Amino acid sequence: MASTPLVLLPGLMCDRAVWGEMLPALGGENDIDIAAYGEIDSLGGMAERVLDFAPARFAVAGHSMGGRVALEIFRRAPERVTGLALLDTNYLPRPAGEAGAREERERMELLALARRAGTRLMAERWVQGMVHPARLGDRVLVDAILDMFARKSADTFEAQIKALLDRPDAAPLLPRIACPALVLCGREDSWAPLARHEAMAAAIPGARLAVIDECGHMAPLERPEAVAGAFRQWLAAVDSAPVRPAAAARAGAL
Amino acid sequence: MPGQPHGRIIGGLGSPHAPSIGAAYHAGKHETPSWKPLFDGYKPMQAWLEQKKPDLIIVVANDHANTFFFDRYPTFALSVAAEHEIADEGWGKWPLAPIPGNPEFAWQLAHSLVDQEFDIAVCQEMPLDHGFLTPLSCFFPPERRWAVPVLPVCVNVLQPPIPSAKRCFELGRAIRRAVEAYPRKLDVVIAGTGGLSHQLSGERYGFNDTAWDSEFLDLIETDPERIARMTHQEFMTKGGADSVEEIMWLVMRGALSPKVRRVHRNYYLPMVTGFAQVIFEDLGDAAVARKAA
């Protein structure tokens, strides 16, 4: 039996390189597509772009902002999703009041920095809180992240910031997720903390929570082998899950 | 983001880079009557650098067809090399060790400049000639030589078309934005190099104008934008054909705050070239903000 197709969704300013380290360890049995969002400035728009190009039925894994896109895909076409993996991500909308305003201010400061001095130097600042502190001196890792940002323009950054600031509340979706679900996070992810992933895993029926030790927010790049191990388990569950006839029929009608 | 460590420009230096200076220095002629007025001008610079302890010196100079040849000559170039060889300019290499760079920041600067639409040539190796070796030899006493990593920036002032004064000033401003965006402590000094009035060929060989040189030193300190508006023809008329290289001082000045504190200025005209040395201390972003407001 052929393995399920897999669609991978990178996060803010990231691209296929964020998944590149872990793919060899995945075993190579799945057809893999890695999404790109162009200059789309909403999470729903990104989800629709992926749905336009994705196979009829597919497992989807999203990292950070990509996790939110994965949830928006599920919101729009649950019958096409055979499995859902949410990595270093979040499901809540932007908080009201001062916390939300502060988030907007901080994001706009980074945008101004990107416009002033370029996306790579902006990323030098951004990356400081994004990988495990012990890895900040690992130039191979840090440069891989900076290079992803350098491949994007400040306009792309602005579009994705807008998408994140306008993010919808995905909490109501979580109890409706019936496919095999993986919730994964670096233990030291200071951006999307472990507690948030524990809550997410608790709200999704049957979800498995994988915590990667000595790892920050950029889990697929920081600990590719550990993340690939969790993916292999998840994909095995996806492949052995019964195909619900109703869902298959709806997907076939597309 | 205030409070976090970040890069900053702490000051700018101006210096000639004539090969005769470096040759005299390495021949031990500091104290001879003809050279002493010049070399004494470096003593405050050595003391200032010793006190400020910068983490990096960006030196803006031009190559003299030792690294780049006229078949392919970049308008602007920087080095990302970890180490810079001493160029052999035809009379044998100066007896100096290779000069360390800072590749990590240099790459960031390269990316940032291109993002800011300065499409600078990025060099993985860049042997340095007297354009760099003269000022760098004089900035530090021998026992402190090469104690601070160097980031060389080359400007084409030799083969037309050469960049405008304004473009050089804007390059300095772009360098400042990149340094300030760097999210780690990095105290940077930037040096602009080149002689003031001089013309080394043609009918006006030996031309100098000390009054203009003095005015230039006033303006580069207090009103650099006025110099940045000058055409190459105006430079040549006022200071002789070879004084166009003063545009490299504008890169240095563009990287500094609009107002600066001058802590040193020296001028000496021994033979055919007006030699000047300055130290400008940066007054920080507050001065920038006041200017903008």
Side-chain angles (χ1 to χ4, degrees):
Chain A
M1 188 185 85
S3 294
T4 188
L6 176 59
V7 175
L8 302 176
L9 310 178
L12 175 73
M13 294 293 269
C14 292
D15 57 29
R16 55 192 312 115
V18 81
W19 303 105
E21 293 297 311
M22 60 164 278
L23 289 183
L26 221 46
E29 287 176 20
N30 305 79
D31 280 336
I32 293 174
D33 283 323
I34 300 177
Y37 314 118
E39 306 233 322
I40 298 173
D41 64 358
S42 74
L43 298 179
M46 295 173 190
E48 279 152 25
R49 159 75 62 91
V50 174
L51 284 166
D52 282 345
F53 287 95
R57 285 166 57 75
F58 57 97
V60 59
H63 174 249
S64 196
M65 181 185 77
R68 293 182 182 276
V69 176
L71 288 166
E72 292 308 306
I73 288 171
F74 178 81
R75 190 197 298 275
R76 282 160 179 74
E79 72 284 358
R80 292 178 62 185
V81 177
T82 60
L84 197 55
L86 304 169
L87 287 72
D88 300 295
T89 188
N90 203 335
Y91 56 97
L92 296 173
R94 179 154 60 107
E98 175 50 26
R102 187 175 63 241
E103 180 191 324
E104 179 168 15
R105 258 195 327 273
E106 287 173 359
R107 289 193 189 274
M108 289 304 156
E109 273 181 45
L110 283 173
L111 177 60
L113 188 63
R115 292 226 177 270
R116 202 163 62 240
T119 50
R120 198 174 199 273
L121 258 176
M122 179 275 292
E124 265 280 6
R125 190 180 302 270
W126 180 88
V127 79
Q128 299 299 317
M130 290 297 162
V131 299
H132 189 282
R135 300 293 291 282
L136 279 173
D138 179 344
R139 282 318 298 189
V140 174
L141 171 68
V142 170
D143 278 343
I145 296 169
L146 302 194
D147 287 345
M148 286 196 290
F149 277 63
R151 288 193 283 271
K152 310 283 179 303
S153 69
D155 289 343
T156 300
F157 192 43
E158 182 167 16
Q160 297 189 355
I161 285 175
K162 180 173 187 306
L164 282 167
L165 290 174
D166 296 344
R167 60 193 182 250
D169 183 3
L173 301 174
L174 302 182
R176 308 203 317 244
I177 297 171
C179 58
L182 168 67
V183 176
L184 180 148
C185 132
R187 189 176 293 283
E188 287 86 17
D189 185 337
S190 57
W191 180 251
L194 175 57
R196 197 58 50 77
H197 292 79
E198 287 169 343
M200 202 160 22
I204 301 173
R208 194 173 89 80
L209 175 68
V211 183
I212 310 296
D213 287 328
E214 291 182 61
C215 182
H217 183 67
M218 302 299 288
L221 269 177
E222 290 181 63
R223 297 285 169 210
E225 283 173 13
V227 173
F231 265 54
R232 282 196 301 272
Q233 269 192 306
W234 166 61
L235 289 169
V238 171
D239 284 340
S240 59
V243 177
R244 288 174 301 152
R250 274 204 301 279
L254 280 168
Chain B
M1 273 135 258
Q4 290 178 7
H6 62 87
R8 56 185 187 139
I9 302 269
I10 60 172
L13 307 175
S15 168
H17 67 230
S20 56
I21 299 173
Y25 179 83
H26 292 295
K29 295 183 180 171
H30 322 56
E31 299 295 326
T32 61
S34 55
W35 283 110
K36 188 171 168 33
L38 178 75
F39 286 111
D40 281 354
Y42 283 110
K43 287 179 181 166
M45 302 173 96
Q46 294 182 358
W48 186 82
L49 287 164
E50 178 62 28
Q51 184 207 339
K52 296 294 176 185
K53 298 197 172 13
D55 302 304
L56 178 72
I57 299 188
I58 297 174
V59 180
V60 185
N62 64 289
D63 174 72
H64 302 76
N66 290 301
T67 283
F68 305 117
F69 304 96
F70 291 137
D71 55 342
R72 53 197 81 166
Y73 204 91
T75 304
F76 296 113
L78 63 75
S79 163
V80 296
E83 205 171 72
H84 302 93
E85 290 299 320
I86 307 302
D88 186 339
E89 304 187 47
W91 51 72
K93 291 186 186 186
W94 290 1
L96 299 168
I99 300 174
N102 176 343
E104 201 244 311
F105 176 74
W107 274 112
Q108 295 288 19
L109 180 62
H111 276 275
S112 180
L113 290 178
V114 173
D115 279 342
Q116 295 183 58
E117 300 181 355
F118 268 97
D119 303 324
I120 195 164
V122 179
C123 304
Q124 306 262 3
E125 54 182 37
M126 188 187 280
L128 300 181
D129 71 14
H130 67 266
F132 295 91
L133 299 178
T134 288
L136 284 168
S137 295
C138 297
F139 288 165
F140 298 96
E143 68 276 12
R144 294 260 308 144
R145 187 170 292 154
W146 306 175
V148 181
V150 172
L151 199 169
V153 174
C154 287
V155 178
N156 172 19
V157 296
L158 295 189
Q159 168 159 279
I162 69 176
S164 69
K166 179 165 182 291
R167 189 69 177 149
C168 290
F169 191 60
E170 294 295 334
L171 175 62
R173 289 157 74 133
I175 290 171
R176 180 182 186 85
R177 287 190 284 269
V179 168
E180 290 188 338
Y182 189 65
R184 280 189 280 290
K185 185 217 171 236
L186 190 76
D187 286 354
V188 176
V189 167
I190 182 165
T193 72
L196 302 197
S197 65
H198 65 303
Q199 174 152 343
L200 303 181
S201 58
E203 277 181 30
R204 290 211 300 167
Y205 173 88
F207 176 85
N208 296 108
D209 184 338
T210 54
W212 160 239
D213 284 348
S214 177
E215 189 184 347
F216 172 84
L217 291 171
D218 291 341
L219 289 174
I220 194 86
E221 177 188 335
T222 59
D223 193 5
E225 297 196 19
R226 211 163 116 199
I227 301 177
R229 286 193 295 271
M230 285 172 57
T231 63
H232 298 140
Q233 186 59 51
E234 287 174 278
F235 278 100
M236 292 195 285
T237 304
K238 285 171 174 289
D242 296 289
S243 73
V244 172
E245 70 188 25
E246 289 172 358
I247 61 176
M248 293 186 293
W249 284 53
L250 277 172
V251 181
M252 172 272 284
R253 189 60 184 84
L256 300 177
S257 48
K259 286 195 190 315
V260 292
R261 182 186 303 113
R262 168 164 55 82
V263 296
H264 176 56
R265 171 168 158 177
N266 184 51
Y267 180 80
Y268 181 52
L269 175 56
M271 292 175 293
V272 292
T273 303
F275 291 147
Q277 296 129 320
V278 299
I279 304 173
F280 296 147
E281 286 187 354
D282 199 275
L283 294 177
D285 291 332
V288 179
R290 272 201 301 281
K291 172 95 176 185

